[in-house]
Amino acid sequence: SRVYNQNAPPLWTDIAIPIADDYKALPFRGQQLCPSWLGYVWPKHLGALVNLWNNQPFPTVQPGLPNMDPGLQLADGIEFFMDDYDEETQNDDDFEPSTRINAFSPGLASLANHDGDFVNIDRSYESSRVDYEGLKAPWDAGAGAFTPHHNMLYTAYIDVEKGMELFLDYGPKFHEHITKRNKQLRDIQGKKKRAVTGFADDISRDWDLMETQEKTQCPRELPTEKAKRERLKVGMGVDSSTLASDEKPYIEYRPNDHHPEDEEGDEEEYDNEEEDDDDKPDGWNVKPLEWLYDNGVCLSSGKLWIGNTTEDAGRALFATTGIAQGEIVLTSPLIALRRDDFRIYKSDPDAEHERDTVDKSTVIAEELLLNYAYGHPKSPMLFVPTAPMANFINHGGEEDANVQIRWPTAGSKTARLFDWAYNRQKEDIYDDKFESRNHNAWLKDHPIDVMEKSGKLAFEYVALREIKEDEEILIDYGSLWDDAWDEFVETDAYARSGYFRHPIGVPDGFYPDNWLDVSDKYEIAEIQDLENNPLEPGVALPMTWAHNGKALSPKYGYIVGLEKGFSDRFLEYSEGTGVIELYRKLLTEQEGFRLKSDQFTTYITGVLANTSNASVEEIEFFAQKYKADEYKFNMHFVAAWNEAARKSIYEGLGDAGFDLAIKGIGERFGYDNITCFHASYMGMTHCDKAKPHSDIYATQDKSWNIVFPLITVEDTDPELSILAEDMNTVVGVHYLKDIGYAMGDFGYHQTRPSNYFDPARSDGEESAAPIRVVFGAYCSQVDETNIAMLRHIYDGDDPAPFADQFTELPMREVHWTKMGNATLRHPGGSGMTCEDEIAN
């Protein structure tokens, strides 16, 4: 075989493929905060492709919790440039590239991990080049069809011994994140999940991190309601738990009784200190060559080199020696993408509203990355190899192709390694054994599940026949590619819509049937076919994914069946009390009903209901316009202000049939009792960017916010976003009559962007303006484990007129017990009189 001189050019170098579109993830597009493939793309600046810093969820999600790993999206240790060195500038001492790009770079930039204290390689920027190898004219068919960014080299700046892992420096932001994440993962690894009554599956220990964090942040004292109202009344409400003790704005405070840290035996502190890398044993990053031979996978056979270009195809891959038929020429990990990920939509980064940034009705181009992707025309999923040299294999057609892709064979080292990687859970302890427990498991999974695991699956390039020394390595891109190329070449250069774009075809049978003719959209099974499979009233079910039947979140995402006609009955009650008419005036900003952001005021709504009912005339509600300036929406909360209104709401809920929902929650989760401690209307007509949040958290899995609709706007997009337990996937749901969405501890959700009516752009037809009104009931088994947290949650950013309900146990009022002796209209609890007991 050929022997190469140490001073000769390297056998292989890496390329960089620009990612032109910045809008690949939420909030602009798709259903994920960070699709797994973006973890392999270097951003032109932090946050260029995923928004992981702004609009952080509340409570803050700890780094160890998400199943997704943002990877390089948190990295800025390596840069790629549009204006890289070329023939003219490579010898210009004054030239320095300056225009950074988002780039996918297979090879070391995709495969080398980060360790801030053990970095041993870095990119050699002066070696990289940008050119099209003579294909410069726009009428050249191959111009723009392959990346011009090539010759990416990496150098060792310390001695690297045999078997040593190669590390790049991903930058300080990534280092901070990964250090915290790794420590938290070590804290949960090897621990069994918690079995909790009623939940779809056992609850991951990940959530212990969040429980501990929020318990230690629960304030020991809270402002009195009198002091808080004085501030809120003039639009100066502040959640005192977010402030240092010397910054508290109120004049009066009271202890938060039953503080969790005061409980005996509960002294665990939330520890987020970084681990000292100096504690790592010597040689931890070096593997014996024998171990690597037995367990590792060589991503190149060592018989390949990158050579001269071929017409219209850029550079090419050649054999340095003879390769036998059936021999593995190359193995490559894969990133998995949706077809939509390759589309570039019309966008306006300066749009007034965030919701208008991307116009998905207009595709203006497709990413160059598509030309490097493998796919099937009937599948929504495509793969891009991350191994060095894999993306230099050109098209040989059916006659000249000498390699073909295949999945790893059972028992092979590749199969063992990637079976372990694909099936491994983050709570599994690393054991160096790489046992194959489920061979090529990705072939059995739905494409949605596969696309969540970029980098954890692989395929192999195998020689179809004997390949001679210096012969180019070629693969058959498929007949569809051939047809598309021929049509493109034959089209007049000035009539082409853009550069050539088409994926590489896979061999017949390569994609299993379960990857074909399926949707790549996350949907909830329980609400897909309610007409034929209605929910049974009073039954609480976990929301499950339609594509695989797994729970969206075993911990917090449930739906509750309500009696037929429930929503209409409670709407009728709400109209009778004047609340709906109040909303029509608030949301259209009529005279006397125009609130500033975060301001609140009170209303006797009976005067709006045109009723002579004396009891209605006594009830008083408060209305608060919540964070309108911050979130660019006009959400108004309306809730009881006096005792008459509070009792009226609970009686109205009970008369409409809500007792059945509370009973369903209580029985499913094995509670002893439930108290509805807060109930609120929520109404709006437009929203640009609400905050992901959880209304309930750290209450020992004993609390739920059950939300149901009263008025919705027909033929509009989903109204509510629910964040799955992976802390990455967001599913949009429509509010549906007679269905309650139950969000428990750390049930993150948010109002989705919408634009039914904007008073600032009103044409004077306020009376006919479409509005949306929903209702939320906060229900909990309140006991010594959570009463202080619930008092803190209830206090929140809003008026809290009934905070004194949390001053003592047992609760003065309960609305369901497992003995069946309490209802919303006739509550039980310590506040009941003998007369009440007789009435019940």
Side-chain angles (χ1 to χ4, degrees):
S1 66
R2 180 174 303 179
V3 177
Y4 282 88
N5 188 308
Q6 290 289 332
N7 297 320
L11 292 179
W12 61 271
T13 64
D14 292 333
I15 57 174
I17 304 170
I19 304 299
D21 179 17
D22 287 344
Y23 306 107
K24 297 297 188 187
L26 291 170
F28 307 107
R29 177 170 173 179
Q31 294 181 281
Q32 292 189 307
L33 299 170
C34 182
S36 69
W37 72 276
L38 284 182
Y40 291 81
V41 175
W42 290 89
K44 58 188 174 185
H45 59 78
L46 291 174
L49 289 168
V50 297
N51 191 345
L52 296 175
W53 298 276
N54 297 328
N55 205 26
Q56 276 280 349
F58 175 82
T60 302
V61 177
Q62 290 303 307
L65 190 62
N67 284 338
M68 68 93 175
D69 183 353
L72 299 179
Q73 290 307 302
L74 287 173
D76 61 355
I78 295 181
E79 300 171 327
F80 295 89
F81 299 94
M82 181 64 71
D83 56 335
D84 218 331
Y85 294 96
D86 57 23
E87 291 181 2
E88 295 181 2
T89 59
Q90 58 185 309
N91 296 318
D92 185 349
D93 293 337
D94 296 328
F95 176 79
E96 186 174 339
S98 59
T99 306
R100 294 181 60 175
I101 58 173
N102 305 311
F104 166 69
S105 184
L108 286 176
S110 292
L111 301 172
N113 288 318
H114 163 89
D115 193 296
D117 296 308
F118 293 88
V119 175
N120 48 23
I121 62 171
D122 195 9
R123 190 179 151 202
S124 174
Y125 288 90
E126 292 76 12
S127 67
S128 59
R129 296 289 181 268
V130 55
D131 63 66
Y132 276 109
E133 280 297 296
L135 298 174
K136 297 178 180 178
W139 52 80
D140 288 331
F146 58 89
T147 180
H149 301 276
H150 66 100
N151 211 48
M152 309 291 167
L153 293 177
Y154 296 83
T155 58
Y157 61 83
I158 64 170
D159 292 337
V160 178
E161 59 183 286
K162 293 180 180 179
M164 179 178 284
E165 183 172 357
L166 301 180
F167 288 113
L168 287 167
D169 184 359
Y170 285 9
K173 186 77 174 182
F174 181 91
H175 185 77
E176 176 187 0
H177 169 83
I178 203 66
T179 302
K180 292 179 180 178
R181 176 180 170 85
N182 286 345
K183 183 192 181 301
Q184 292 173 357
L185 291 180
R186 283 191 293 271
D187 289 343
I188 66 168
Q189 281 183 332
K191 294 182 180 179
K192 292 184 178 179
K193 294 181 178 181
R194 289 187 286 110
V196 184
T197 300
F199 288 85
D201 296 304
D202 295 342
I203 294 175
S204 171
R205 289 287 181 181
D206 297 12
W207 292 104
D208 294 349
L209 301 171
M210 296 290 291
E211 289 276 346
T212 303
Q213 170 189 260
E214 295 308 316
K215 285 171 65 177
T216 56
Q217 293 182 7
C218 183
R220 290 182 175 275
E221 59 178 5
L222 296 166
T224 64
E225 187 58 24
K226 175 178 178 293
K228 186 179 180 186
R229 288 184 189 183
E230 290 174 355
R231 302 286 289 193
L232 285 167
K233 190 73 175 178
V234 292
M236 298 174 65
V238 179
D239 182 356
S240 64
S241 68
T242 65
L243 303 175
S245 57
D246 59 348
E247 297 176 335
K248 293 181 177 179
Y250 302 106
I251 56 174
E252 299 177 17
Y253 284 85
R254 50 147 292 172
N256 190 6
D257 302 310
H258 306 279
H259 194 274
E261 288 187 348
D262 295 334
E263 300 297 330
E264 184 177 355
D266 188 8
E267 300 178 355
E268 180 183 9
E269 293 186 1
Y270 182 74
D271 181 13
N272 202 24
E273 294 297 322
E274 295 188 9
E275 185 176 85
D276 188 353
D277 282 324
D278 291 339
D279 293 338
K280 293 178 179 177
D282 291 341
W284 71 272
N285 56 340
V286 179
K287 294 291 186 184
L289 294 184
E290 294 78 7
W291 184 92
L292 287 171
Y293 292 144
D294 291 339
N295 297 282
V297 175
C298 185
L299 298 186
S300 166
S301 62
K303 300 179 179 181
L304 304 171
W305 66 285
I306 298 169
N308 297 327
T309 60
T310 58
E311 183 180 1
D312 289 331
R315 287 156 185 83
L317 193 62
F318 295 87
T320 64
T321 185
I323 299 175
Q325 181 179 357
E327 185 176 342
I328 297 174
V329 176
L330 185 65
T331 299
S332 180
L334 305 167
I335 59 173
L337 301 86
R338 288 170 168 78
R339 287 188 179 273
D340 187 65
D341 292 327
F342 296 95
R343 298 186 182 107
I344 301 174
Y345 292 103
K346 181 182 178 182
S347 62
D348 179 8
D350 299 320
E352 179 182 357
H353 298 290
E354 187 177 77
R355 63 176 179 262
D356 297 327
T357 302
V358 174
D359 178 6
K360 291 196 68 175
S361 68
T362 307
V363 178
I364 61 174
E366 290 183 296
E367 296 283 0
L368 175 60
L369 189 65
L370 182 63
N371 287 0
Y372 295 85
Y374 291 75
H376 189 289
K378 292 187 177 182
S379 177
M381 176 172 61
L382 296 95
F383 299 106
V384 176
T386 65
M389 300 186 287
N391 294 289
F392 289 97
I393 301 177
N394 289 318
H395 176 50
E398 189 174 358
E399 293 184 2
D400 295 331
N402 50 23
V403 297
Q404 187 179 59
I405 56 172
R406 75 176 185 192
W407 298 115
T409 55
S412 67
K413 290 191 294 183
T414 303
R416 288 192 294 115
L417 177 60
F418 285 95
D419 290 350
W420 171 83
Y422 187 85
N423 292 292
R424 184 180 182 230
Q425 304 298 312
K426 66 179 181 180
E427 63 267 19
D428 292 346
I429 296 175
Y430 177 76
D431 57 13
D432 271 12
K433 293 180 181 177
F434 306 135
E435 295 178 353
S436 181
R437 293 176 293 181
N438 191 358
H439 176 56
N440 289 351
W442 50 83
L443 297 178
K444 307 176 188 69
D445 285 346
H446 192 282
I448 290 177
D449 297 323
V450 180
M451 287 186 285
E452 292 178 350
K453 296 190 175 185
S454 283
K456 298 180 180 180
L457 67 160
F459 60 39
E460 301 168 333
Y461 296 82
V462 180
L464 292 173
R465 56 170 173 77
E466 181 182 353
I467 301 174
K468 298 178 181 179
E469 182 178 340
D470 288 334
E471 185 177 350
E472 183 178 356
I473 306 299
L474 297 170
I475 197 169
D476 182 9
Y477 286 7
S479 60
L480 292 179
W481 190 96
D482 275 330
D483 294 342
W485 175 254
D486 290 343
E487 181 180 353
F488 186 81
V489 171
E490 292 169 3
T491 302
D492 185 274
Y494 294 100
R496 295 170 184 160
S497 58
Y499 296 125
F500 178 75
R501 297 288 184 266
H502 200 279
I504 302 168
V506 297
D508 291 342
F510 189 75
Y511 271 35
D513 290 343
N514 53 294
W515 289 3
L516 308 179
D517 299 315
V518 293
S519 171
D520 62 355
K521 184 179 180 181
Y522 291 90
E523 295 180 299
I524 297 174
E526 284 68 29
I527 59 177
Q528 272 195 324
D529 189 21
L530 289 171
E531 184 174 342
N532 296 314
N533 296 292
L535 291 175
E536 185 178 343
V539 173
L541 297 174
M543 300 181 199
T544 61
W545 294 124
H547 67 275
N548 62 14
K550 295 180 181 179
L552 177 145
S553 169
K555 183 174 173 65
Y556 57 70
Y558 288 74
I559 55 174
V560 185
L562 303 172
E563 286 184 328
K564 186 175 179 58
F566 165 83
S567 294
D568 288 339
R569 289 193 292 273
F570 193 69
L571 174 61
E572 183 179 359
Y573 158 81
S574 303
E575 289 172 333
T577 58
V579 169
I580 301 303
E581 183 59 27
L582 173 62
Y583 263 117
R584 296 196 186 281
K585 295 180 179 298
L586 288 169
L587 297 177
T588 56
E589 297 186 0
Q590 296 182 29
E591 188 68 29
F593 296 86
R594 186 178 297 116
L595 301 181
K596 298 178 181 179
S597 180
D598 295 309
Q599 185 184 8
F600 90 105
T601 191
T602 59
Y603 299 94
I604 297 176
T605 58
V607 300
L608 304 176
N610 192 25
T611 178
S612 58
N613 188 327
S615 62
V616 171
E617 293 175 355
E618 295 175 357
I619 64 178
E620 188 174 11
F621 290 87
F622 76 82
Q624 182 186 25
K625 190 175 185 180
Y626 185 74
K627 295 188 181 299
D629 291 344
E630 183 176 352
Y631 301 145
K632 296 183 180 179
F633 69 169
N634 67 337
M635 178 71 74
H636 287 67
F637 292 110
V638 172
W641 182 250
N642 63 8
E643 181 67 8
R646 188 188 72 84
K647 285 188 175 181
S648 174
I649 285 179
Y650 289 155
E651 290 172 358
L653 282 170
D655 293 346
F658 198 67
D659 285 303
L660 200 58
I662 300 174
K663 178 174 181 286
I665 289 287
E667 290 181 345
R668 173 163 188 117
F669 298 103
Y671 299 145
D672 294 324
N673 57 72
I674 290 178
T675 295
C676 286
F677 63 88
H678 179 53
S680 173
Y681 295 89
M682 294 159 280
M684 49 81 69
T685 64
H686 66 88
C687 171
D688 193 37
K689 53 176 184 179
K691 187 180 186 69
H693 66 282
S694 177
D695 300 306
I696 303 284
Y697 49 89
T699 70
Q700 301 292 305
D701 299 315
K702 299 173 184 175
S703 307
W704 300 85
N705 181 19
I706 306 174
V707 181
F708 57 85
L710 296 177
I711 300 175
T712 58
V713 181
E714 294 184 1
D715 301 322
T716 58
D717 292 336
E719 301 97 346
L720 178 68
S721 286
I722 299 175
L723 184 59
E725 192 169 338
D726 64 7
M727 295 290 105
N728 185 39
T729 304
V730 177
V731 60
V733 298
H734 283 286
Y735 285 119
L736 301 171
K737 281 188 176 182
D738 305 333
I739 291 178
Y741 295 92
M743 307 299 294
D745 274 7
F746 302 105
Y748 290 94
H749 59 283
Q750 71 183 109
T751 300
R752 290 174 70 88
S754 58
N755 188 25
Y756 313 137
F757 172 80
D758 188 345
R761 294 167 171 76
S762 170
D763 58 3
E765 296 296 326
E766 289 88 351
S767 60
I771 67 172
R772 186 175 83 212
V773 181
V774 301
F775 190 89
Y778 291 65
C779 306
S780 176
Q781 175 176 303
V782 185
D783 56 33
E784 65 278 357
T785 68
N786 61 20
I787 185 171
M789 184 60 70
L790 286 166
R791 169 68 170 86
H792 165 52
I793 290 170
Y794 176 67
D795 184 71
D797 296 326
D798 316 323
F802 308 107
D804 285 348
Q805 65 184 302
F806 298 103
T807 58
E808 59 186 23
L809 286 171
M811 293 290 284
R812 293 198 296 263
E813 209 170 271
V814 296
H815 301 110
W816 171 86
T817 70
K818 63 182 179 181
M819 303 298 294
N821 58 354
T823 65
L824 286 159
R825 178 170 276 279
H826 301 292
S830 64
M832 262 202 331
T833 64
C834 294
E835 186 176 312
D836 292 328
E837 291 181 0
I838 293 172
N840 285 342

